[in-house]
Every structure is written in C-alpha cells, then in structure tokens.
Amino acid sequence: MTDQVSDEAQVIPLRPGPARPQAPDPAPREPLWRDLVGEVLRRERLEQERTLRDVAEEARISLPYLSEIERGRKEASSEVLAAAAHALGLGLGDLLSRTHGELARHAGVRRRPARVPGHQGRRYDGLCLAA
C-alpha cells in the first residue's frame, strides 16, 4: 500500500486578535459650493418645467456640461454660471444669494451679520465671494 497525499489545502484558523477600537463617526461634511449651485440651478429649472436641453441652448452651454454642473461634478466659471442663471431668468447675484441660503440651511447656521473690520459698531449684512 502506498500513502496518498491529499490535494486539499488545510485551513488553520488564526487566533482572533485584540478588538480594534472603533473610530468615532466623522463630523458631517459641509457641502461643496458646486453641489449647492447645481442644486439651485436644477431646482429652478424644474420649477419652471424646462428641460436641460432648453436651458443649455438658451445659455449657449453644452447640454452635458450643464448636466455636470447641476450634479455638482464641475466647478463652473462665473461666466458660465451667469449664462445659466440668465437663461433661467435670474441674475448672477440671485443665483449666488440662493446658493448662500442653501449653504446656511445645510450648515444649520443662522445668518448673522459680520462686523466690518476698521468700522467700529458697523455691521455688514451682505455676501462677498472671492476667487
């Protein structure tokens, strides 16, 4: 008689290691500006019952590019945002103001006027963007 060697692999269980401490849940991320701009543009377009194609043609923006902007996948220039806003009957300031409102809503922060540096006692209740 000959000894036969099995072709099957043997599984040897390892000893369980010490339990790893679970990392705390990360704080919720603030939304990106491009996501919020896209939400505002899409909501306004849908409220007007307009198609993506219609708005893209009027704004002279390619349909795929406008779609990417609405989905927050592209960071559009101020010229492109102005064109999209105007195609929807909004000014650029309207779009930015509505987007700012969305940011405040998402962040759960009540809007407080900021103090103007160098102007004691005076408050600034506006929106300022810098690129």
Side-chain angles (χ1 to χ4, degrees), residues 24-32 103 105-109:
D25 290 334
R29 252 185 31 181
E30 280 191 301
L32 297 175
L103 179 61
R105 187 179 66 78
H106 278 279
V109 176

Side-chain angles (χ1 to χ4, degrees), residues 5 12 22 25 36 39 53 69 73 79 88 95-96 104 113 117 124:
V5 178
I12 302 170
Q22 295 241 344
D25 290 334
L36 298 174
E39 285 177 22
R53 181 176 305 281
I69 293 168
R73 301 244 173 117
E79 291 87 358
L88 292 167
L95 175 62
L96 298 178
Y124 175 72

Side-chain angles (χ1 to χ4, degrees), residues 9 13 25 34 58-59 72 75 91 100 103 130:
D25 290 334
R34 68 175 184 242
E58 189 171 334
E75 191 84 50
H100 175 262
L103 179 61

Side-chain angles (χ1 to χ4, degrees), residues 26-86:
R29 252 185 31 181
E30 280 191 301
L32 297 175
W33 184 257
R34 68 175 184 242
D35 292 330
L36 298 174
V37 168
E39 285 177 22
V40 169
L41 287 172
R42 177 169 285 172
R43 185 173 48 247
E44 185 64 32
R45 178 178 61 79
L46 294 175
E47 284 176 6
Q48 294 180 16
E49 298 180 355
R50 294 178 64 188
T51 65
L52 196 59
R53 181 176 305 281
D54 175 45
V55 174
E57 286 175 359
E58 189 171 334
R60 302 184 82 186
I61 302 169
S62 76
L63 188 145
Y65 189 59
L66 183 57
S67 174
E68 297 263 316
I69 293 168
E70 281 192 359
R71 289 183 287 141
R73 301 244 173 117
K74 295 290 182 184
E75 191 84 50
S77 68
S78 58
E79 291 87 358
V80 170
L81 292 178
H86 290 147

Side-chain angles (χ1 to χ4, degrees), residues 10-18:
Q10 271 190 325
V11 177
I12 302 170
L14 298 176
R15 222 175 342 148

Side-chain angles (χ1 to χ4, degrees), residues 108-130:
V109 176
R110 284 196 289 161
R111 195 167 164 217
R112 265 186 13 215
R115 292 202 179 275
V116 179
H119 296 266
Q120 287 141 354
R122 294 182 59 198
R123 293 182 167 270
Y124 175 72
D125 192 25
L127 174 67
C128 179
L129 297 176

